[in-house]
């Protein structure tokens, strides 16, 4: 890496200095930063795995207070047996006969 010499690629740093980089300089820089990025990503992945494993174990042991952390991810509230036998259409109605028109109306208007 040479400041201002010829024989390579000329670049300027953020302070306005002119540098000349050879192919070897560029290869070394890329190798250094690729190893650094790989190392940082592996560390971040390991941290995430440990956090996820701890959360999973707490859910399985039933130690979490949050209902969203239950084994199945939610807590349901159910009515009595008559509500079950009335069926879904009794509670929310029949679907629109033209499904695409209904989807467009619900999501695009």
């Amino acid at each position: 890496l040479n400041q201002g010499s010829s024989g390579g690629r000329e670049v300027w740093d953020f302070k306005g200095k002119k540098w000349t980089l050879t192919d070897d300089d560029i290869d070394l820089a890329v190798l250094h930063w690729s190893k650094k990025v790989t190392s940082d990503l592996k560390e971040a992945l390991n941290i995430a795995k440990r956090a996820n494993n701890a959360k999973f174990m707490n859910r399985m042991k039933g130690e979490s207070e949050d209902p969203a952390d239950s084994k199945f991810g939610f807590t349901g509230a159910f009515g009595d047996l008559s509500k079950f036998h009335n069926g879904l259409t009794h509670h929310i109605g029949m679907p629109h006969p033209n499904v695409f028109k209904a989807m467009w109306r619900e999501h695009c208007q």
Side-chain angles (χ1 to χ4, degrees), residues 47-59:
I47 290 169
K49 282 181 180 178
R50 285 193 303 271
N52 191 39
N53 287 342
K55 186 176 181 181
F56 176 77
M57 292 307 292
N58 287 341
R59 277 195 324 220

Side-chain angles (χ1 to χ4, degrees), residues 17-86:
K17 286 185 182 178
K18 182 176 161 182
W19 296 85
T20 302
L21 299 175
T22 65
D23 287 342
D24 289 339
D25 294 331
I26 294 169
D27 290 344
L28 284 173
V30 168
L31 180 63
H32 168 76
W33 287 108
S34 65
K35 286 181 178 180
K36 175 76 172 129
V37 168
T38 301
S39 172
D40 290 350
L41 287 173
K42 284 180 180 178
E43 182 181 349
L45 181 60
N46 285 332
I47 290 169
K49 282 181 180 178
R50 285 193 303 271
N52 191 39
N53 287 342
K55 186 176 181 181
F56 176 77
M57 292 307 292
N58 287 341
R59 277 195 324 220
M60 295 307 289
K61 292 178 189 174
E63 294 175 359
S64 178
E65 301 276 331
D66 187 358
D69 285 340
S70 69
K71 183 176 179 180
F72 299 105
F74 63 92
T75 300
F78 303 99
D80 58 14
L81 199 55
S82 67
K83 291 191 185 285
F84 172 78
H85 288 295
N86 284 336

